[in-house]
Amino acid sequence: SNFLETEGMDGADKKKNNVVNLEALSAAAFILPRNVRIDNKTTENMLMDLSGRYDNFNFTHFAQNLENAFVMIIEAFAEGDINTLEALLAPSVYKAFEKEIKAREKRGETVETHVQSVEKIDVIEVALDGDDISVTARFTAREICLIKDKEGEIISGDPKRVTQMVDVWVFGRNITDQGPEWYLQETRDDEIEDHKTPVPEAGEKKK
């Protein structure tokens, strides 16, 4: 018996009660930060189902850490902090980030990024493949990003101009693992913007 089943009702009443219970639960099941929302009912229902079936899956905890993870990865990439990136990225994404960092170092370029705010995080999809869960989120953020050449001259960006960036990232983990670690498995632009942090498109699903 699961939490949607109710004894003593016929099929129609049970179906109606399921809908009511689902709607009531969806409002209370997850405590989300102000800037995080679940984009669609299919994703919400899947998250609720997985939360009920797997003790190790805590979506509230995941959602509360999304903004920090985004800012940490963006700024670590800009700073060339490969140790931080290696701890947070899946191997294929890490290789792409490391390659881009080494390429700009060879050119003598530096990147200065300050994420001013993460305005919206839309959780748009969740999938389970065996024991591997992936959660796709669209980030809308405001940042100032400067790229400087080896002489220190600005070749991209404006210190007085705030740029909006919209990226789609996929995080994943083994849902049966005891630890809380998630890894960034895919990155892609949702919108092409000028003067944003040049995060490479990468990931296990990228061709």
Side-chain angles (χ1 to χ4, degrees):
S1 160
N2 65 38
F3 60 83
L4 292 179
E5 292 179 354
T6 305
E7 295 180 359
M9 292 185 174
D10 62 29
D13 286 340
K14 187 178 290 187
K15 182 178 180 181
K16 181 179 179 182
N17 192 70
N18 285 350
V19 173
V20 171
N21 279 350
L22 191 60
E23 290 175 348
L25 282 165
S26 66
F30 307 121
I31 301 171
L32 302 180
R34 55 165 184 81
N35 59 347
V36 178
R37 73 181 188 98
I38 301 171
D39 180 72
N40 57 77
K41 202 68 178 175
T42 299
T43 297
E44 183 178 47
N45 290 346
M46 181 71 166
L47 289 168
M48 291 176 61
D49 176 61
L50 293 174
S51 296
R53 287 197 287 141
Y54 294 93
D55 292 338
N56 296 333
F57 178 58
N58 186 331
F59 179 69
T60 295
H61 182 269
F62 172 80
Q64 289 171 346
N65 285 280
L66 274 173
E67 179 174 339
N68 285 341
F70 179 80
V71 174
M72 188 180 300
I73 291 169
I74 289 287
E75 294 186 348
F77 172 73
E79 294 164 7
D81 182 355
I82 59 174
N83 291 328
T84 294
L85 294 173
E86 190 170 20
L88 298 171
L89 310 184
S92 60
V93 178
Y94 173 74
K95 287 178 183 177
F97 277 49
E98 183 186 37
K99 180 180 179 181
E100 182 60 32
I101 289 169
K102 288 182 176 179
R104 77 175 185 233
E105 287 176 350
K106 188 174 181 180
R107 296 190 300 269
E109 296 176 359
T110 57
V111 179
E112 297 176 9
T113 292
H114 174 60
V115 179
Q116 295 203 326
S117 64
V118 181
E119 297 177 333
K120 290 192 304 178
I121 304 173
D122 296 311
V123 178
I124 58 179
E125 186 179 5
V126 59
L128 188 66
D129 181 8
D131 290 331
D132 295 323
I133 184 174
S134 61
V135 178
T136 303
R138 182 191 299 112
F139 294 85
T140 303
R142 293 171 61 80
E143 66 166 12
I144 295 174
C145 176
L146 305 178
I147 301 177
K148 297 181 179 181
D149 65 17
K150 57 186 177 182
E151 279 80 37
E153 297 295 323
I154 295 173
I155 56 176
S156 176
D158 182 335
K160 297 180 180 180
R161 178 185 175 187
V162 178
T163 299
Q164 178 173 282
M165 64 183 301
V166 184
D167 278 11
V168 174
W169 288 9
V170 180
F171 295 87
R173 58 169 291 187
N174 184 306
I175 201 168
T176 64
D177 284 350
Q178 295 293 329
E181 294 85 3
W182 289 77
Y183 297 95
L184 180 59
Q185 295 182 333
E186 184 182 347
T187 58
R188 63 179 184 266
D189 278 335
D190 193 59
E191 297 178 8
I192 306 300
E193 309 93 350
D194 292 330
H195 309 303
K196 60 166 279 187
T197 304
V199 173
E201 293 200 354
E204 296 168 0
K205 297 178 182 178
K206 300 301 293 180
K207 300 299 183 184

